[in-house]
Amino acid sequence: QVQLVESGGGSVQAGGSLRLSCVISGFSYSSYYVGWFRQAPGKEREAVAVIYTRNSNTYYSDSVKGRFTSSHDNAKNTFYLQMNSLKPEDAAMYYCAAASVVSNWPPPNYEYKYWGQGTQVTVSS
């Protein structure tokens, strides 16, 4: 059974930092895609970062480029999203998700088969 468990969310002031973690278990593919998504109330879920484990190729949305960094520790099956210079508009529920077969780069949201439960990020101005 595939499980994704996020942690690390919280409440910070604008300009602060948080590091989210996503531990993946039960995923049998040697190479796969892990995306970080966020969804604020009343807004669509958007991909902010995607990493491909085979070559660590990474995608960032324009809204977070230069402030967020995605990484992974293969030995721990753990993925990280380092978020710096946080802005109030970054506040959302953040999710990690995994996909094994994709049709494009970055992968469309619907191609992620496995999702975590989410972790809340709040940024105060």
Side-chain angles (χ1 to χ4, degrees):
Q1 182 179 357
V2 178
Q3 285 190 317
L4 287 76
V5 180
E6 302 102 332
S7 62
S11 184
V12 296
Q13 289 190 328
S17 298
L18 283 174
R19 189 178 79 158
L20 306 184
S21 298
C22 173
V23 180
I24 300 179
S25 59
F27 206 62
S28 60
Y29 293 91
S30 59
S31 300
Y32 51 97
Y33 303 81
V34 174
W36 286 97
F37 297 80
R38 66 186 182 189
Q39 188 167 23
K43 294 189 177 181
E44 292 187 356
R45 186 172 297 187
E46 65 164 330
V48 297
V50 182
I51 190 166
Y52 180 41
T53 62
R54 174 175 290 184
N55 55 17
S56 295
N57 195 23
T58 308
Y59 158 85
Y60 298 101
S61 68
D62 288 342
S63 60
V64 307
K65 198 174 295 182
R67 300 187 297 121
F68 290 13
T69 303
S70 178
S71 62
H72 64 115
D73 183 332
N74 283 336
K76 297 181 179 179
N77 288 335
T78 301
F79 294 77
Y80 303 99
L81 185 67
Q82 178 67 43
M83 306 187 297
N84 298 330
S85 303
L86 283 162
K87 305 175 182 179
E89 52 263 43
D90 294 318
M93 184 71 80
Y94 281 72
Y95 303 87
C96 62
S100 57
V101 179
V102 301
S103 62
N104 209 341
W105 177 259
N109 290 11
Y110 64 82
E111 292 185 341
Y112 290 88
K113 186 175 181 180
Y114 303 101
W115 292 80
Q117 82 289 350
T119 186
Q120 183 69 45
V121 171
T122 303
V123 184
S124 57
S125 57

